[in-house]
Structure formats: structure tokens, C-alpha cells
Amino acid sequence: MINPDYFNQIFKVFPMPGVVLFPDADLKVLGVNKAYLEATGIPETILRGNSLPTILKDKLDINVDSINALRHSLPMQSKPGEPPKRKYVFFYFLY
């Protein structure tokens, strides 16, 4: 089995902006890498533990339709009130 610390070290320095989300309706941010912080300019203290769609709307002025498209595109949606189908999901921003 791969050591989680090893994976975390690779994720933190990976050159593509990435974020680890909790797969609930709020899409809470569990972690981000250095490239994501540099691309968005949003401090990790604001991201971690907060809803990614809310952050994107408030900090980057992304419209609601784009946020809804993001929510529905991620393959971990569960019905309201049910536990998430996955423990977490990785999301990489391509630009």
C-alpha cells in the first residue's frame, strides 16, 4: 500500500492546480496544492474546510450556472440526506 504521506507530498508539488473535495452537496475543500493557490490567489486558510462553490462565487466572481455545472459534473453526488458515495474527490483545473 502507498504511504499517504508520500501521496500528499506529490500532490502538494504537482504542477497542475488541484483541490481535494469532500463529496457532499457543499463540496468542502479538504486540501489544495501549491499550483492551485498560485492560480487562484486565494489563501489556503480561506479554502480549507469551506465550500468550493461559495468560494469561487465570492472570490473569483464565477457565475451560478458554472458552479452548478461543476457540482453536477463531479461523479460523487448522492441524494440529499444520504452519506456521500466516495470519501473524497480530486478535481484538477485545466486552463
Side-chain angles (χ1 to χ4, degrees):
M1 178 185 277
I2 296 175
N3 182 332
D5 291 333
Y6 177 72
F7 172 77
N8 191 41
Q9 290 172 1
I10 292 171
F11 174 72
K12 289 289 186 183
V13 298
F14 195 71
M16 186 182 297
V19 61
V20 180
L21 303 172
F22 184 74
D24 61 359
D26 292 332
L27 298 175
K28 289 185 189 97
V29 176
L30 299 175
V32 294
N33 65 10
K34 182 179 177 182
Y36 184 86
L37 296 172
E38 291 172 356
T40 63
I42 301 171
E44 188 170 2
T45 54
I46 290 175
L47 292 164
R48 195 176 281 272
N50 291 307
S51 166
L52 183 64
T54 301
I55 293 165
L56 293 177
K57 182 176 149 283
D58 293 347
K59 299 291 182 189
L60 300 180
D61 198 29
I62 294 178
N63 69 42
V64 174
D65 291 336
S66 296
I67 292 169
N68 287 335
L70 168 65
R71 268 196 182 103
H72 295 295
S73 70
L74 297 175
M76 79 297 180
Q77 295 295 324
S78 53
K79 294 178 184 174
E82 289 183 356
K85 293 179 182 177
R86 298 179 183 204
K87 291 182 180 181
Y88 48 81
V89 65
F90 295 104
F91 185 71
Y92 288 101
F93 288 88
L94 302 175
Y95 59 95

